[in-house]
Amino acid sequence: MYDIIIIGAGTAGLSAAIYGVRAGKKVLVLEAAVYGGQIINTPEIENYPGIKHISGYEFATNLYEQARDLGADVKYEKALSIETQEENKLVKTDSNEYVAKAVILATGAKNRPLGLEKEQELIGRGISYCATCDGGFYRGKVVAVNGGGNTALEDAIFLTSYCSKVYVIHRRDSFRGEEKLLETLKRKDNVEFVLSSVITKLNGTDKLESIIVENKDTKETREIEISGLFIAIGQMPENKDFADVVNLDEKGYIVGEEDCKTNELGVFVAGDTRTKAIRQLATAASDGAIAALAACEYIG
Ligand code: NAP
């Protein structure tokens, strides 16, 4: 029997764990994959207040160890359902069942696919969603990054130091990502921007060989030969398992205001998986604190 079960060991979930155990609660964190969430793949963080420079891996590991050292339990099990049993919540995972007084959903978001034919079968054979994980496999090769946010810009900067050439393909002619990152990328001499363009086809059988890119304004198409395509077109939540418990918006995010409460009494939501305007490391940590303290208040 736990006081609080937190589903997800990313920044929001682990921050919630820290606040929960520091409030004297018995806390269990359930994680389906690895701790750290999305930030673990970020090469360098320099916008988290109070920390000048840190890698995503080091940040996530510090956070994980901090939560563990303070007394949070972490189990690597996939949470499949939440049921209300009188005053308590029963959480069923792929291997166990746990009971708690409150649950915090901090399930984050996963990489959005392009949705093109062959995309799934070419994952690991030219298609990747993580430059820091897979960039090293493309040393000296020609690659492309698709997307216009911070992830795409950071990925492209990272890849320019390994790859002979990096195409940056973005569907608009201006970037969503930070100006500072864009300026850094523009200074690289092995980058080519392919703007106002979308990828319409992936070519290759056993491995990716080329992509077809269409300019949205002129409708002209172009074939670009590449060994690797890093897709960085944002994230999407995965909350189908909890759709019978909490309200989801049309994109699948869990509906919750700044107080991190959901429509279900005793179930809270924190981090990128919550309906919100700004999804940043700082706002994920902030949500974790708010959700944990709201859960503590609910438990009494
Ligand atoms: P994002 O900011 O949502 O950007 C996604 C990009 O992909 C946008 O440029 C978008 O184009 C494009 N896109 C979306 N769907 C597409 C599609 N179907 N086909 C082609 N392009 C598509 O995602 P992100 O870069 O992964 O960042 C997510 C959040 O994490 C953001 O809040 C970001 O600031 C944050 N982040 C921060 C850091 C940092 O601070 N160091 C690092 C990484 C991420 P449009 O621009 O036209 O919409």
Side-chain angles (χ1 to χ4, degrees):
M1 175 80 192
Y2 286 90
D3 291 312
I4 306 171
I5 291 177
I6 298 163
I7 301 177
T11 300
L14 291 172
S15 300
I18 290 168
Y19 273 78
V21 287
R22 295 230 338 132
K25 303 301 181 201
K26 194 169 178 220
V27 173
L28 170 64
V29 182
L30 294 171
E31 169 56 55
V34 289
Y35 72 79
Q38 292 174 57
I39 200 65
I40 206 156
N41 297 320
T42 295
E44 193 181 13
I45 301 164
E46 56 175 34
N47 60 0
Y48 192 82
I51 301 176
K52 282 191 188 170
H53 295 282
I54 192 165
S55 74
Y57 177 77
E58 196 182 351
F59 178 87
T61 303
N62 286 348
L63 196 54
Y64 174 73
E65 288 176 355
Q66 190 179 0
R68 293 290 305 267
D69 291 352
L70 285 166
D73 284 347
V74 181
K75 292 186 193 292
Y76 289 92
E77 297 172 26
K78 182 170 168 53
L80 300 175
S81 65
I82 304 168
E83 289 166 31
T84 297
Q85 289 190 331
E86 296 175 358
E87 302 275 276
N88 297 321
K89 305 291 175 198
L90 171 72
V91 177
K92 291 184 181 167
T93 72
D94 47 10
S95 47
N96 279 302
E97 293 185 3
Y98 302 97
V99 178
K101 294 173 187 162
V103 172
I104 298 172
L105 288 162
T107 46
K110 67 168 199 165
N111 294 315
R112 177 181 291 128
L114 278 169
L116 291 174
E117 211 179 310
K118 293 190 178 179
E119 185 173 352
Q120 294 303 312
E121 65 193 68
L122 291 174
I123 291 173
R125 289 185 284 166
I127 300 281
S128 171
Y129 300 85
C130 177
T132 41
C133 317
D134 301 331
F137 298 126
Y138 296 90
R139 196 176 289 275
K141 301 202 167 141
V142 179
V143 300
V145 174
N146 189 202
N150 279 339
T151 304
L153 296 177
E154 282 185 349
D155 284 0
I157 292 166
F158 179 76
L159 290 165
T160 53
S161 54
Y162 284 98
C163 304
S164 59
K165 179 160 186 174
V166 179
Y167 290 94
V168 176
I169 300 158
H170 178 37
R171 66 183 177 184
R172 290 188 296 129
D173 62 1
S174 64
F175 284 86
R176 182 182 291 274
E178 288 170 17
E179 194 57 35
K180 186 173 176 230
L181 292 173
L182 184 58
E183 287 310 315
T184 305
L185 185 59
K186 280 180 175 167
R187 283 196 295 273
K188 307 287 179 183
D189 54 15
N190 57 343
V191 65
E192 180 179 329
F193 292 94
V194 183
L195 301 181
S196 304
S197 298
V198 290
I199 301 171
T200 55
K201 195 162 181 260
L202 307 171
N203 294 324
T205 39
D206 293 337
K207 60 182 175 58
L208 182 70
E209 285 162 12
S210 71
I211 53 176
I212 305 294
V213 174
E214 183 186 286
N215 183 296
K216 287 171 75 184
D217 301 328
T218 62
K219 302 292 173 209
E220 275 173 26
T221 58
R222 161 183 183 190
E223 181 170 7
I224 303 177
E225 287 185 12
I226 50 170
S227 304
L229 172 64
F230 292 84
I231 299 168
I233 59 166
Q235 285 78 38
M236 55 186 204
E238 214 175 5
N239 292 314
K240 284 189 289 294
D241 289 341
F242 311 113
D244 57 339
V245 186
V246 289
N247 290 338
L248 307 182
D249 75 359
E250 69 286 352
K251 291 182 178 161
Y253 291 96
I254 298 169
V255 177
E257 299 297 327
E258 294 301 314
D259 61 8
C260 294
K261 291 178 181 163
T262 70
N263 57 294
E264 176 74 13
L265 213 59
V267 179
F268 303 84
V269 58
D272 282 3
T273 205
R274 180 170 76 80
T275 48
K276 52 157 75 177
I278 310 291
R279 292 191 170 87
Q280 290 283 308
L281 197 56
T283 62
S286 159
D287 267 16
I290 293 167
L293 295 178
C296 292
E297 190 186 0
Y298 167 79
I299 293 165

